[in-house]
Amino acid sequence: ATSALSIVAVYRVTSHVASLRQIFDARATGLNGAGLWSDSTLANRTYMHYGTGSAVLNLQAPVLPSPGVIHTAAATFGPGGGRLYSNGDPVVQNSAPAPLTDGWQGYIGSNGGTIRYHHGIIPLIAVYNRVISAAEYVAIRRMLRLRGMLA
C-alpha cells in the first residue's frame, strides 16, 4: 500500500449543489484510495476521504467555500493520519492511519472521469508522494500569490 500522499488544489466553485463534486480522485473506486471534494452530501463543504473499504476515513472543513472566489485546499494522508487544509489554514485532522492502494489513477474534476463533476475551474493540482507540512502548504500559497493566482 502507498504510505503517503498529498494533494494541493487551487479551485473556484461556480455554484453549489447538494451532491458530491470532486476536485481530485486518486483511485476512482468510491471509498477506496483518496479524494478531495469541493462539494459533498455532507452539507456542501470541502472534504477529503482516504483509506480502503470499511477503513475509509472522512475529514470535513467547517465552512462552505464561497462561489466565484479562488480557494486553495490541501489533503495529506500518511502513517500519522490525515489532515485537511483550506485557504491556508489547517482545519481538521485525524490521527488514524489508513492504507492507500497502490496502482491508482488520478482524475481531475470528477470521480473516475465519468461522474460527480466539479462545478467551476481547477487551474492547479499538485500531487506529492509524501505528506507535505503546514509550512510547505503556506509556502505554496505564498508562491501562488506572487504569481497572481491568489488575491
Side-chain angles (χ1 to χ4, degrees):
T2 301
S3 62
L5 178 71
S6 294
I7 304 163
V8 177
V10 175
Y11 68 98
R12 182 178 71 203
V13 175
T14 305
S15 62
H16 288 293
V17 292
S19 179
L20 297 166
R21 299 296 168 198
Q22 194 140 22
I23 296 171
F24 186 80
D25 176 20
R27 191 64 184 148
T29 55
L31 294 179
N32 293 317
L36 181 60
W37 305 73
S38 60
D39 287 89
S40 73
T41 53
L42 305 170
N44 281 348
R45 292 188 170 98
T46 303
Y47 94 105
M48 60 179 257
H49 75 266
Y50 65 104
T52 56
S54 62
V56 72
L57 300 168
N58 294 298
L59 297 176
Q60 179 179 327
V63 295
L64 181 68
S66 302
V69 177
I70 294 289
H71 296 278
T72 62
T76 64
F77 320 88
R83 180 172 287 180
L84 177 63
Y85 299 88
S86 180
N87 295 320
D89 299 316
V91 293
V92 65
Q93 65 185 20
N94 185 326
S95 61
L100 299 175
T101 306
D102 284 332
W104 54 270
Q105 297 178 24
Y107 293 88
I108 298 171
S110 72
N111 182 232
T114 58
I115 58 174
R116 299 177 178 147
Y117 294 102
H118 174 73
H119 285 204
I121 63 167
I122 306 169
L124 178 76
I125 290 281
V127 180
Y128 301 84
N129 64 352
R130 61 184 177 79
V131 173
I132 62 168
S133 69
E136 287 177 289
Y137 178 54
V138 169
I140 291 167
R141 283 186 45 85
R142 186 177 303 119
M143 181 268 308
L144 293 169
R145 190 168 283 112
L146 289 172
R147 293 189 177 177
M149 292 185 76
L150 297 177

